[in-house]
Amino acid sequence: MHLEVLVEELSMKKALDVLIPKIIDTKHSFDVYNFRSKQDLMKKLESRLRGYSKLRNDWDFRIVVLVDEDRQDCKELKQFMVDTANVSGVRDITLNRIVVEELEAWFFGDVAALRAVYPRIPESLGEQIRFRNPDQIPGGTWEALDKTLIQYGYRTGLVKTEAAEKIALHMDPWSNRSTSFKVFRDGIINLVK
């Protein structure tokens, strides 16, 4: 089985290039394609999915569309993604997932992975009230991770693409506390069954 994974940004691609082989068997192949932005991906989604629809009979593949919530209405965003897959003729082979709120929530969901890259972050970070639920960190997860890094002495703050790849190398997909990560992980596993 081959997975075609569509994402909105390079940092998500870098993280998934590392994470997907940790989640699914290596007998499956995958490619991750990043678009310039969430708006760019959403604008081109129907055309891209219609292209995949034409390949259905010649290729054993599945499609994954993954975007950040970015404080949008989750239900409306998901409905748009499902409707687009439906009108494009690929709903049955497409997994639509939303990262709540942003990719950095997945990193907060694995404090050990964060600490492997940024060892000055305390082990107790995930126990702090603000960070207990990685998918509900107030004020934005990107901003929270940037501020956390600066607070613990990383003067450059968050360099998204570099951090995504490095943190993903240390992530354990089976112990992540982010609900949106678990839903993504389980969806990928079921997709390749």
Side-chain angles (χ1 to χ4, degrees), residues 12-193:
M12 194 176 289
K13 175 190 177 358
K14 295 247 183 214
L16 292 180
D17 282 341
V18 174
L19 289 170
I20 290 175
K22 293 181 176 190
I23 297 170
I24 61 172
D25 193 295
T26 56
K27 70 181 179 184
H28 304 294
S29 59
F30 70 95
D31 287 303
V32 181
Y33 301 96
N34 73 295
F35 289 72
R36 291 180 297 182
S37 65
K38 180 178 179 179
Q39 293 74 21
D40 185 47
L41 173 55
M42 295 293 98
K43 185 171 114 181
K44 295 176 179 174
L45 186 59
E46 184 176 342
S47 172
R48 185 73 174 241
L49 294 181
R50 285 188 187 278
Y52 286 130
S53 180
K54 294 175 184 173
L55 301 172
R56 289 184 66 125
N57 297 327
D58 303 322
W59 191 25
D60 187 19
F61 71 99
R62 300 291 181 268
I63 305 159
V64 178
V65 181
L66 181 68
V67 296
D68 287 344
E69 175 198 41
D70 293 326
R71 301 179 193 120
Q72 274 188 273
D73 183 300
C74 234
K75 289 179 183 176
E76 286 180 17
L77 178 58
K78 180 78 174 270
Q79 193 60 56
F80 172 81
M81 295 163 71
V82 169
D83 290 346
T84 303
N86 193 37
V87 300
S88 302
V90 292
R91 182 174 180 179
D92 60 319
I93 62 168
T94 301
L95 175 70
N96 293 295
R97 288 294 181 257
I98 299 170
V99 181
V100 179
E101 159 188 352
E102 298 164 315
L103 178 62
E104 290 75 18
W106 291 6
F107 303 153
F108 277 114
D110 191 334
V111 174
L114 270 176
R115 292 192 73 251
V117 179
Y118 305 103
R120 291 187 292 244
I121 290 176
E123 285 181 51
S124 63
L125 184 75
E127 298 164 21
Q128 296 175 20
I129 291 172
R130 182 167 190 225
F131 299 112
R132 282 187 191 151
N133 184 341
D135 297 319
Q136 292 183 353
I137 295 172
T141 54
W142 179 92
E143 295 87 345
L145 185 51
D146 184 59
K147 288 177 186 173
T148 299
L149 292 176
I150 291 168
Q151 175 185 351
Y152 290 104
Y154 298 97
R155 292 171 41 202
T156 59
L158 180 63
V159 180
K160 283 185 75 142
T161 53
E162 180 184 314
E165 189 171 26
K166 287 180 178 179
I167 295 167
L169 284 170
H170 299 281
M171 286 175 69
D172 176 0
W174 315 110
S175 66
N176 198 296
R177 295 177 306 110
S178 165
T179 301
S180 71
F181 178 81
K182 292 177 199 176
V183 170
F184 168 78
R185 177 199 65 204
D186 296 345
I188 292 280
I189 291 168
N190 289 327
L191 195 60
V192 298
K193 281 185 179 178

